[in-house]
Amino acid sequence: MTISSHILGFPRIGAQRELKFALESFWRGDSDVSALQNVAHTIKTKNWQTQIDAHLTHVTVGDFAFYDQMLNQSLMLGCIPKRFGFDASHITLAQTFDLARGNAAQPAMEMTKWFDTNYHYLVPELAQDIQFKVNVDAILSDIDAVRALGGEAKPVIIGPLTYLWLAKIHGQNFNKLDLLPTLTQAYADILKAFKARQVTWVQIDEPILSLDLPGFWLNAFDTVYGELNTVGCKVLLTTYFEDVSAHIARINKLPVQGVHIDGARAPQQIAAWVDHLPADKVLSIGIIDGRNIWRADASALIGQLQSAKASLGDRLWVGTSCSLLHTPVSLEFESKLDPEIRNWLAFATEKVTEIGVITRALNEGNGAVTSELAQSDAAQYARRNSKRVTSDFVRNRLASVTTAMSTRVTPFAQRIKKQQAHLNLPLFPTTSIGSFPQTTEIRQLRAAHKRGEIGALDYLERIREHIKLAVEEQEKLDIDVLVHGEAERNDMVEFFGEHLWGYVFTANGWVQSYGSRCVKPPVIYGDIYRPEPMTVDTTRYAQSLTNKPMKGMLTGPITMLQWSFVRDDQPRELTALQLALAIRDEVQDLETAGITVIQIDEPALREGLPLKRRDWAVYLEWAVRAFRLSSAGVADTTQIHTHMCYSEFNDILPNIAAMDADVITIETSRSNMKLLKGFGDFNYPNDIGPGVYDIHSPRVPSVDAMTFLLERACEVIPAERLWVNPDCGLKTRGWEETRAALSHMVSAAKIMRKKVKAEQLADAEV
């Protein structure tokens, strides 16, 4: 009896973000395709070798992407938006990036969050007459490369029903399921290519099984997998992120040879699957958490799997709960990390080793890994008993929070009049989301300060020069509500975490968010407290440079929670409320300093929503309460903004309204203002700033294009409640395109002011 082992995917950015730098060099024209391909080959080879060295039974291929795995699947299927005019059967790497980032002629493909993660995928665009054109050359090449290293390759692809569910129809109206027969044939062709390459197992990811699917979509699984079974490849049907035990009977009847379940996020489902698994299937249990960075309790997990081993024998596989894409690559480069806390952590490379240790113990007995288990046990004991984790002061303060602390004194309809009188803003007021270009000079300045090469006062003065530049640029552009540009901030979560107790920071704990964009989530290991103001000095300085309103810029408690690696020894709700109190203190200090427009960004609110609707109410109650706790302690004349991006909001609009922010800014440019319709249908009561251009693309839209979007916005939201802004922060953009885009944005706002005033005058005359 031999229990098998594998992972669902590995990070593709490289341990020190090699892919990011190679991509950006290529986009700048500083390197060619060959150089980019060489970097990719090196990363993939190292990833495969890591799995081979850990003695995993199967080595995963197909998890690498130059930009996004959903885009990879679209390329494999030849599902390319016609509007680009590309030959779907032969897409160059440069054209791939045009799809992802847009070009002079076409905006980029729409982008949104991958389920409840902070990873963004590119949404496939479907046409009724699409002809799928399969191309698997890239993944076949990787299969050959793994075999040359001595590994057993297991290709991974996104399943047909997940692909179809997440895709969107553009410019037509038809039922997506009408495409299923031709899509299924395309997938059959992919499997035939794997079969011809003598691939034994294929991992087909169908994470939509974790959602509340309509019955006809569930029924489609029977048809699709019945047809794919005729090819003859062994299929591991992969689910993750949720408990899918409600579908046991249906999945067990599917003609697939294996099923993967998430045993880290939903351990309650393991027993049911072990008890009901048919004798002709394998069960892969994702026992190692692919979404967090805490070291596994190997002894406990081995004990947990013993009953599954007894029941299933060699039909048991051990793996990660999901792809390790959501974790940093390796602890190898974390030499400066607090050694006590470092010993509590495991990144992707260490998680692969943990799988190897657990599998070896199950196959050979605990005696075969005595040393490894002793180290694991010691780390668990140290973390449980550390005095650094809890604070009586923080816990007592949280216990004293009252309901009144989460409620603005005056309803929005009354306080907005006071704010309008105080701020004296025009119709269609213009602003930006917060950050301005993080130039090479700024990044080098921050790095030099971090290395101790620049003293604190010198650093402050030089940062103030960049703040002054940002303010001057906005004044020249005639923007109405300004921001200080965030030159001093490395990341919207990390910056604040560095000023809070209970956080620790890595040097290379990077995780891909989209394309070359990587984030370095801080680690919440203990109770949270804000010992001193974090943003007051820079914001007050920026306000001193202008007579226009200056926004205070903060990250909200739910985004701080979602975009950190969060402690798993207490409910997330408690950590969120601790964060809310810290942000509340900062809001009140900003107000005391004379800042009367304060933005508390919550782009991750929708991302944190549980995948099952049955669990929404509980999450939304404490998430909204946390935001209100952070924002409600201000005067009526202080205007609270919030920002959300790249999410579907329509199903939680009552909860967004319950946040009671005076102004919400949202991403709508890539969806051509379609996301805004739900706010209109719902009759959202407060002010809204729909993004009028996509900051993730270097493309600068015209004044007419932005005016068109604002006209569409006026069809669903009264002009008196509309703000004008980009769809997100400008950190990743250059100054030249930023000036051009913001100039067009301001011009569009002024055109709309004249148009609406003319219409109002005409109505008055009638």
Side-chain angles (χ1 to χ4, degrees):
M1 179 179 67
T2 302
I3 292 168
S4 297
S5 55
H6 71 129
I7 62 174
L8 269 59
F10 199 85
R12 50 183 175 253
I13 59 174
Q16 294 182 294
R17 295 182 292 164
E18 294 90 338
L19 182 61
K20 168 189 173 63
F21 300 124
L23 284 169
E24 292 173 356
S25 174
F26 178 76
W27 294 338
R28 289 192 305 267
D30 295 340
S31 60
D32 59 15
V33 170
S34 177
L36 182 55
Q37 294 280 13
N38 286 339
V39 171
H41 174 74
T42 300
I43 292 172
K44 288 190 288 185
T45 301
K46 187 169 184 178
N47 293 353
W48 299 328
Q49 194 64 53
T50 296
Q51 297 168 63
I52 293 170
D53 291 346
H55 305 290
L56 299 194
T57 313
H58 305 278
V59 176
T60 302
V61 300
D63 52 342
F64 180 87
F66 281 104
Y67 203 96
D68 164 51
Q69 76 257 22
M70 274 293 277
L71 179 58
N72 270 19
Q73 194 64 42
S74 293
L75 296 172
M76 188 182 298
L77 293 166
C79 184
I80 305 302
K82 288 185 177 180
R83 57 190 175 88
F84 283 90
F86 298 157
D87 179 1
S89 62
H90 181 70
I91 298 292
T92 67
L93 202 51
Q95 289 173 333
T96 297
F97 296 135
D98 281 351
L99 298 172
R101 306 174 72 231
N103 58 28
Q106 289 293 332
M109 295 172 66
E110 185 177 345
M111 184 166 63
T112 194
K113 298 286 180 72
W114 179 253
F115 294 83
D116 60 348
T117 75
N118 188 32
Y119 178 77
H120 301 68
Y121 71 94
L122 289 164
V123 181
E125 296 182 17
L126 300 176
Q128 191 167 15
D129 59 348
I130 187 170
Q131 299 294 318
F132 297 106
K133 300 176 182 179
V134 170
N135 186 336
V136 292
D137 291 346
I139 197 168
L140 293 180
S141 177
D142 286 350
I143 290 168
D144 295 341
V146 167
R147 286 176 175 165
L149 295 173
E152 177 64 34
K154 172 184 58 92
V156 53
I157 57 176
I158 294 168
L161 287 156
T162 292
Y163 183 83
L164 199 60
W165 175 269
L166 297 177
K168 287 190 175 182
I169 295 168
H170 278 250
Q172 297 170 304
N173 186 19
F174 62 95
N175 187 342
K176 287 192 290 187
L177 285 173
D178 291 344
L179 298 177
L180 199 53
T182 55
L183 181 61
T184 303
Q185 182 56 55
Y187 271 84
D189 291 341
I190 293 171
L191 294 186
K192 288 174 184 176
F194 293 156
K195 178 73 172 176
R197 216 46 150 235
Q198 298 181 321
V199 167
T200 304
W201 281 94
V202 180
Q203 175 186 320
I204 302 184
D205 288 0
E206 292 285 12
I208 61 165
L209 284 165
S210 65
L211 306 178
D212 296 314
L213 292 177
F216 50 86
W217 276 87
L218 287 170
N219 292 337
F221 277 87
D222 302 338
T223 304
V224 169
Y225 284 91
E227 294 185 26
L228 294 182
N229 185 53
T230 62
V231 176
C233 272
K234 289 185 178 180
V235 169
L236 180 71
L237 184 70
T238 308
T239 69
Y240 40 82
F241 297 157
E242 249 292 357
D243 183 345
V244 295
S245 58
H247 303 310
I248 283 181
R250 177 181 297 276
I251 294 174
N252 279 342
K253 291 179 182 178
L254 294 179
V256 296
Q257 290 67 45
V259 179
H260 174 87
I261 60 170
D262 189 331
R265 220 172 191 206
Q268 69 275 10
Q269 66 178 324
I270 295 176
W273 279 98
V274 171
D275 290 345
H276 295 94
L277 191 76
D280 61 346
K281 285 181 170 56
V282 304
L283 179 65
S284 169
I285 301 178
I287 206 71
I288 296 296
D289 191 350
R291 303 255 320 248
N292 215 328
I293 43 72
W294 301 107
R295 189 169 183 168
D297 187 340
S299 295
L301 294 180
I302 291 166
Q304 185 180 346
L305 290 171
Q306 288 295 345
S307 60
K309 172 189 171 184
S311 297
L312 303 177
D314 60 7
R315 293 189 296 121
L316 172 64
W317 289 20
V318 176
T320 52
S321 61
C322 60
S323 172
L324 295 172
L325 169 74
H326 311 289
T327 61
V329 176
S330 175
L331 279 168
E332 177 185 356
F333 302 100
E334 298 300 333
S335 58
K336 296 182 180 180
L337 185 61
D338 182 310
E340 180 183 11
I341 296 174
R342 185 184 190 278
N343 196 42
W344 303 345
L345 308 181
F347 292 175
T349 300
E350 292 73 36
K351 289 176 183 290
V352 171
T353 300
E354 288 179 330
I355 293 171
V357 169
I358 291 170
T359 307
R360 189 177 175 194
L362 291 170
N363 283 327
E364 304 174 30
N366 288 9
V369 288
T370 302
S371 174
E372 292 89 339
L373 293 183
Q375 293 175 23
S376 174
D377 292 344
Q380 299 303 315
Y381 179 85
R383 185 181 171 208
R384 284 194 300 268
N385 292 279
S386 174
K387 294 181 180 180
R388 304 172 61 180
V389 172
T390 58
S391 163
D392 290 341
F393 171 78
V394 172
R395 296 189 172 220
N396 290 337
R397 188 183 184 209
L398 186 59
S400 68
V401 169
T402 64
T403 302
M405 291 172 66
S406 298
T407 306
R408 294 289 292 268
V409 174
T410 305
F412 171 79
Q414 298 175 30
R415 67 178 187 262
I416 190 63
K417 295 176 182 178
K418 297 179 182 179
Q419 293 166 13
Q420 289 169 343
H422 174 70
L423 295 172
N424 193 30
L425 297 173
L427 199 64
F428 297 101
T430 55
T431 189
S432 64
I433 303 305
S435 60
F436 269 79
Q438 293 267 318
T439 62
T440 301
E441 182 182 357
I442 290 175
R443 293 194 297 269
Q444 290 175 344
L445 177 62
R446 270 205 313 266
H449 176 57
K450 194 170 186 179
R451 292 192 299 266
E453 298 169 3
I454 299 176
L457 288 177
D458 187 20
Y459 175 71
L460 175 62
E461 287 303 315
R462 293 172 68 177
I463 283 293
R464 284 189 167 192
E465 291 174 6
H466 291 283
I467 293 173
K468 184 177 181 181
L469 172 65
V471 173
E472 289 173 347
E473 291 287 350
Q474 293 170 85
E475 292 267 21
K476 291 175 186 176
L477 290 162
D478 199 21
I479 292 174
D480 301 305
V481 176
L482 311 190
V483 297
H484 80 284
E486 304 180 11
E488 81 286 6
R489 303 185 189 183
N490 45 11
D491 175 82
M492 66 181 293
V493 173
E494 183 175 2
F495 171 81
F496 290 98
E498 287 174 340
H499 292 79
L500 298 173
W501 293 352
Y503 271 93
V504 71
F505 300 88
T506 64
N508 289 282
W510 297 99
V511 178
Q512 185 182 25
S513 179
Y514 61 87
S516 69
R517 170 71 169 146
C518 300
V519 295
K520 185 154 59 71
V523 179
I524 302 177
Y525 72 88
D527 288 341
I528 303 295
Y529 180 68
R530 187 204 73 143
E532 59 187 9
M534 303 179 284
T535 68
V536 173
D537 181 71
T538 51
T539 310
R540 182 165 45 200
Y541 170 71
Q543 182 65 83
S544 73
L545 301 173
T546 180
N547 293 322
K548 292 186 174 184
M550 177 63 60
K551 272 198 294 189
M553 298 300 307
L554 306 175
T555 302
I558 302 306
T559 299
M560 291 290 293
L561 183 83
Q562 284 294 125
W563 292 359
S564 298
F565 289 120
V566 183
R567 59 190 295 189
D568 58 358
D569 59 343
Q570 72 175 15
R572 292 170 69 86
E573 173 185 355
L574 294 182
T575 305
L577 293 173
Q578 290 178 1
L579 286 162
L581 283 175
I583 301 302
R584 179 186 180 91
D585 291 344
E586 188 72 12
V587 168
Q588 292 179 335
D589 282 347
L590 282 168
E591 184 181 49
T592 300
I595 305 302
T596 56
V597 181
I598 302 172
Q599 182 169 309
I600 307 173
D601 289 338
E602 282 293 19
L605 182 84
R606 178 63 170 81
E607 171 190 314
L609 196 67
L611 298 179
K612 297 289 189 183
R613 190 175 287 269
R614 68 187 180 213
D615 301 321
W616 286 14
V618 172
Y619 163 76
L620 287 167
E621 188 279 327
W622 61 256
V624 170
R625 178 157 48 98
F627 178 85
R628 291 175 65 130
L629 179 61
S630 71
S631 63
V634 295
D636 288 349
T637 51
T638 296
Q639 188 170 80
I640 297 294
H641 291 224
T642 191
H643 172 67
M644 300 179 184
C645 58
Y646 295 103
S647 292
E648 301 285 350
F649 303 115
N650 294 354
D651 46 8
I652 60 167
L653 281 172
N655 309 96
I656 293 177
M659 293 168 66
D660 200 25
D662 298 303
V663 182
I664 181 174
T665 53
I666 58 173
E667 180 281 323
T668 52
S669 62
R670 285 199 180 195
S671 64
N672 210 22
M673 288 289 170
K674 291 179 182 177
L675 286 177
L676 192 61
K677 185 177 184 300
F679 284 82
D681 293 342
F682 172 71
N683 195 22
Y684 183 78
N686 300 9
D687 285 9
I688 304 177
V692 295
Y693 80 92
D694 173 22
I695 65 89
H696 296 91
S697 170
R699 180 173 178 267
V700 176
S702 66
V703 174
D704 288 345
M706 295 189 196
T707 304
F708 171 75
L709 291 179
L710 287 172
E711 288 172 342
R712 293 201 65 178
C714 287
E715 294 173 4
V716 293
I717 303 293
E720 294 76 14
R721 292 199 288 113
L722 281 172
W723 285 63
V724 183
N725 45 263
D727 65 6
C728 205
L730 299 163
K731 175 180 179 178
T732 61
R733 302 270 56 93
W735 267 112
E736 183 177 355
E737 62 192 272
T738 295
R739 291 188 189 97
L742 290 179
S743 174
H744 292 180
M745 183 188 82
V746 171
S747 295
K750 291 179 177 180
I751 289 170
M752 290 301 298
R753 287 170 196 162
K754 291 180 180 179
K755 178 180 179 181
V756 170
K757 287 179 180 178
E759 291 173 349
Q760 291 172 343
L761 182 61
D763 290 342
E765 291 175 350
V766 171

